Amino acid sequence: MMGSPLAGKLYVQVQYDLQRRISSGEFKPEEMLPTEEQLCREYGVSRITVRRAVDGLVADLFVVRRQGVGTFVAGFSHALQSVRLRAYLEDILALDRHLRFQLLTTDTISAPERVAERLRLTGKARVAHESTIVLLNDQPFMAGEGYFPADLVLAIDPEDFAGHEQPTERILRRAGLRIAYGEQNITATAIPEAFAIHLDLVPGTPVIQVERLYFDDRGTPVAFINGFYHPERYQLTADIVPRGGAAPQIVPLSKDRK
């Protein structure tokens, strides 16, 4: 990588430098970023490193991916306030005996556009799909669904949802895959009718939507989770510190586990 005095892992250095170049106007709104191959040559890093850096820019709303076209600097319509928090993978995936998982459906389907974009699938790619209810102390806490590339996960076993261990981790482990890292987006939305009934909510009720994307150690997306949380049973609290200060801690009142 070029001799910039940035600290941290390589992909973080690349991400921050691209962010600086976007903020300075070197890359303008709606302009396409250089390709992964071009960025690899420019920064002297691997494709996995560039991909993780761009994933971070996508999550922070600096760029948007357009399937089959490329990655573009976000326009002003995307310039919403975005706060990047840090969570620990081990905490997200930890066994929690207060949670219980109820499998609703499993099937193999053509990947919806949003899912294909996040899992970097092309053409008529198919995904293994499940929908689930999560109970917290026997009360409906989250309703959601998970998607797994069908060439990696051939089928979803109902046994993956037995007990208190994370179903996503069990599904991937049975397929010989390990979660190395992930990213999470939290937004406010109106709950769709298909999920409202499982949380005892009226369709259209404002809820927290959490999208979680998991990667293996090669930087390949292996699972995309989309969950809707009961508004009275989920709260997120985080410390706010300078970038060079102590790492932020995420302290949910009710831990979300999917």
Side-chain angles (χ1 to χ4, degrees), residues 206-239:
V207 297
I208 294 297
Q209 179 182 10
V210 175
E211 291 184 343
R212 193 172 287 155
L213 185 64
Y214 289 120
F215 302 83
D216 66 9
D217 53 12
R218 299 170 300 171
T220 300
V222 293
F224 177 66
I225 309 301
N226 180 35
F228 301 92
Y229 288 78
H230 196 290
E232 297 177 3
R233 296 171 192 148
Y234 182 88
Q235 180 174 330
L236 185 69
T237 303
D239 295 327

Side-chain angles (χ1 to χ4, degrees), residues 57-77:
L57 292 175
V58 171
D60 283 351
L61 304 180
F62 278 91
V63 301
V64 292
R65 285 194 176 98
R66 296 177 186 168
Q67 190 174 0
V69 180
T71 301
F72 292 78
V73 177
F76 293 112
S77 62

Side-chain angles (χ1 to χ4, degrees), residues 28-179:
K28 295 177 174 52
E30 305 297 343
E31 179 180 328
M32 188 167 71
L33 284 185
T35 66
E36 286 186 358
E37 184 178 356
Q38 290 170 325
L39 291 173
C40 287
R41 288 199 302 266
E42 181 175 347
Y43 286 100
V45 297
S46 69
R47 188 177 292 269
I48 291 175
T49 297
V50 166
R51 195 165 288 166
R52 289 189 68 177
V54 175
D55 285 338
L57 292 175
V58 171
D60 283 351
L61 304 180
F62 278 91
V63 301
V64 292
R65 285 194 176 98
R66 296 177 186 168
Q67 190 174 0
V69 180
T71 301
F72 292 78
V73 177
F76 293 112
S77 62
H78 295 89
L80 306 175
Q81 183 184 33
S82 173
V83 178
R84 185 83 173 188
L85 304 177
R86 177 178 300 164
Y88 293 101
L89 183 66
E90 294 80 4
D91 293 341
I92 293 292
L93 298 177
L95 182 148
D96 189 331
R97 297 190 182 280
H98 295 95
L99 297 182
R100 189 159 53 87
F101 305 91
Q102 290 185 353
L103 179 63
L104 297 175
T105 63
T106 64
D107 50 7
T108 300
I109 60 174
S110 296
E113 183 177 355
R114 171 66 173 166
V115 174
E117 176 188 356
R118 301 299 281 143
L119 291 176
R120 301 183 193 140
L121 302 175
T122 58
K124 298 180 179 179
R126 296 179 67 77
V127 288
H129 168 257
E130 52 84 4
S131 58
T132 313
I133 305 172
V134 180
L135 301 177
L136 173 66
N137 295 324
D138 293 324
Q139 290 187 303
F141 175 52
M142 191 274 281
E145 53 194 342
Y147 300 88
F148 307 82
D151 61 338
L152 300 178
V153 176
L154 301 180
I156 294 173
D157 189 333
E159 284 298 313
D160 293 329
F161 295 79
H164 303 281
E165 190 179 4
Q166 300 307 305
T168 300
E169 189 171 29
R170 295 183 68 173
I171 290 168
L172 293 172
R173 186 170 61 237
R174 190 166 47 80
L177 300 167
R178 185 184 74 87
I179 299 173

